[in-house]
C-alpha cells in the first residue's frame, strides 16, 4: 500500500515520546530528539531537543539538557533548559538550574542555585526618553 519511501517519510515526521514507566529503573545516559516522560527512576544523563515530563512518581538523578521540562516528581542534579521549567505543587527539585523561564506552583520545593538565561527586556521609562547628558569642555 505504501512505498518504502513514503513509510520512511511518515516515521521521520511522527513525534516520538520515550517513556520510562513506573516501576522501571534506568541507570545510564539517554539521548533523543523526541520527548521524554519519566514515571520511574532514571540515574544518569538525559539530553533531548524535546520536552521532558516527570510524573508524580518519577525521579531523575543526574543531568538533564532540553528545551522545556514539566515536573510533578523529583529531580536531583543539574538541569539546563533553553525554554521553560514548570513545577507543579508536588515537585521537588534540588541542585543547579539554568533555564529561560520558570513557572512554580505554590507548594513546590525548589532548593537550587538558579540562573535565568532568557531574553532581556528593555524597561520602558513610562514612555519618557532618558535625558541625554551634556558634555562640557
Amino acid at each position: 500500500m505504501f512505498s518504502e519511501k513514503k513509510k520512511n517519510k511518515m516515521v521521520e515526521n511522527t513525534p516520538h515520546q520515550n517513556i520510562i514507566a513506573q516501576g522501571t529503573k534506568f541507570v545510564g545516559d539517554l539521548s533523543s530528539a523526541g520527548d521524554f516522560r519519566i514515571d520511574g527512576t532514571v540515574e544518569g544523563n538525559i539530553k533531548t531537543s524535546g520536552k521532558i515530563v516527570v510524573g508524580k512518581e518519577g525521579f531523575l538523578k543526574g543531568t538533564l539538557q532540553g528545551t522545556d521540562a514539566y515536573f510533578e516528581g523529583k529531580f536531583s542534579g543539574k538541569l539546563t533548559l533553553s525554554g521553560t521549567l514548570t513545577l507543579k505543587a508536588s515537585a521537588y527539585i534540588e541542585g543547579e538550574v539554568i533555564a529561560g523561564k520558570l513557572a512554580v506552583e505554590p507548594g513546590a520545593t525548589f532548593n537550587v542555585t538558579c540562573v535565568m538565561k532568557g531574553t532581556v527586556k528593555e524597561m520602558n521609562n513610562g514612555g519618557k526618553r532618558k535625558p541625554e547628558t551634556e558634555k562640557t569642555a
Side-chain angles (χ1 to χ4, degrees):
M1 186 167 148
F2 290 108
S3 71
E4 193 63 34
K5 193 174 187 178
K6 285 185 181 179
K7 276 186 188 177
N8 288 339
K9 192 164 193 143
M10 285 174 46
V11 171
E12 288 175 12
N13 294 333
T14 305
H16 299 287
Q17 183 174 31
N18 303 286
I19 299 173
I20 306 295
Q22 187 174 352
T24 302
K25 181 176 181 179
F26 179 86
V27 178
D29 298 339
L30 294 168
S31 180
S32 175
D35 297 343
F36 275 98
R37 176 162 181 102
I38 300 169
D39 290 310
T41 301
V42 174
E43 292 181 11
N45 306 308
I46 296 179
K47 186 174 184 177
T48 181
S49 56
K51 177 175 72 171
I52 300 99
V53 175
V54 178
K56 248 185 181 174
E57 302 301 318
F59 176 59
L60 175 58
K61 182 177 182 179
T63 63
L64 174 61
Q65 288 182 305
T67 307
D68 297 308
Y70 179 94
F71 278 88
E72 290 182 290
K74 297 179 180 178
F75 175 82
S76 178
K78 183 175 180 179
L79 181 78
T80 305
L81 301 172
S82 59
T84 303
L85 172 60
T86 303
L87 304 179
K88 300 303 279 182
S90 58
Y92 180 89
I93 310 296
E94 65 179 10
E96 183 180 342
V97 171
I98 299 169
K101 295 179 185 175
L102 180 63
V104 182
E105 276 190 4
T109 302
F110 192 59
N111 294 323
V112 302
T113 57
C114 185
V115 175
M116 303 296 289
K117 295 234 179 188
T119 58
V120 178
K121 294 182 182 177
E122 190 172 315
M123 294 190 60
N124 187 342
N125 200 9
K128 298 176 187 174
R129 282 186 70 185
K130 187 176 177 182
E132 294 181 27
T133 57
E134 290 183 25
K135 293 183 180 179
T136 57

